[in-house]
Amino acid sequence: MAILKILKNDDPTLRKTSRKVDAITPRITTLLDDMTETMRAANGCGLAAVQIGVLRRIVVIECEEGNVLELINPEIIASEGVQNEMEGCLSLPKRWGITERPERVTVRAMNRKGEIIEITGEGLLARALCHETDHLDGKLFSDNAIHMLTPEEIEEMEQDA
Ligand code: NI
């Protein structure tokens, strides 16, 4: 496994649309392993392949320690409710904002065995599913944030933590 470099801020690759994965190859499973290792090394709870410069529709999410979701070609097929919570991104260091997301979403995706799976998440997991899926279409949470925290607000938040 390998820890890969995470693209940041205005890197133009982050704005590109990722392509679907047609078949699970050893290259894809190695990529999944590297993505999880990279996400963990950066203390993140989600990572999309585009963030390490690979334009493939693949994300990993670990909202709950030890429970890694590997989603290939994820698609949101249902959503309900609304939540306005704090969000950050490994590609936007030191930036935080409040975003509006559905409270509950269901995603259909392929797993590393090539099986179609459906995942329903609420709260933090619902946010992560939306956030990571957005990356695959070149979107960042800051694009539609209700409010981006000011440096003073971030300082205050860090003191409270
Ligand atoms: Ni992100």
Side-chain angles (χ1 to χ4, degrees), residues 4-57:
L4 304 167
K5 187 175 158 248
I6 297 177
L7 305 181
K8 303 216 165 104
N9 299 317
D10 295 328
D11 192 303
T13 300
L14 291 171
R15 294 306 187 171
K16 293 190 174 157
T17 301
S18 297
R19 283 172 301 142
K20 275 199 166 181
V21 174
D22 299 322
I24 310 293
T25 60
R27 208 177 142 255
I28 298 289
T29 50
T30 300
L31 178 62
L32 284 165
D33 292 340
D34 290 346
M35 283 173 64
T36 295
E37 197 180 9
T38 301
M39 168 180 68
R40 286 177 163 168
N43 288 316
C45 69
L47 188 74
V50 58
Q51 291 180 274
I52 50 161
V54 177
L55 289 167
R56 290 299 178 140
R57 301 189 82 84

Side-chain angles (χ1 to χ4, degrees), residues 46-48 51 87-92 131-132 135 139-141:
L47 188 74
Q51 291 180 274
E87 209 160 310
C89 178
L90 292 177
S91 290
L92 299 177
H131 178 119
E132 300 311 330
H135 270 302
K139 294 184 216 156
L140 298 172
F141 83 91

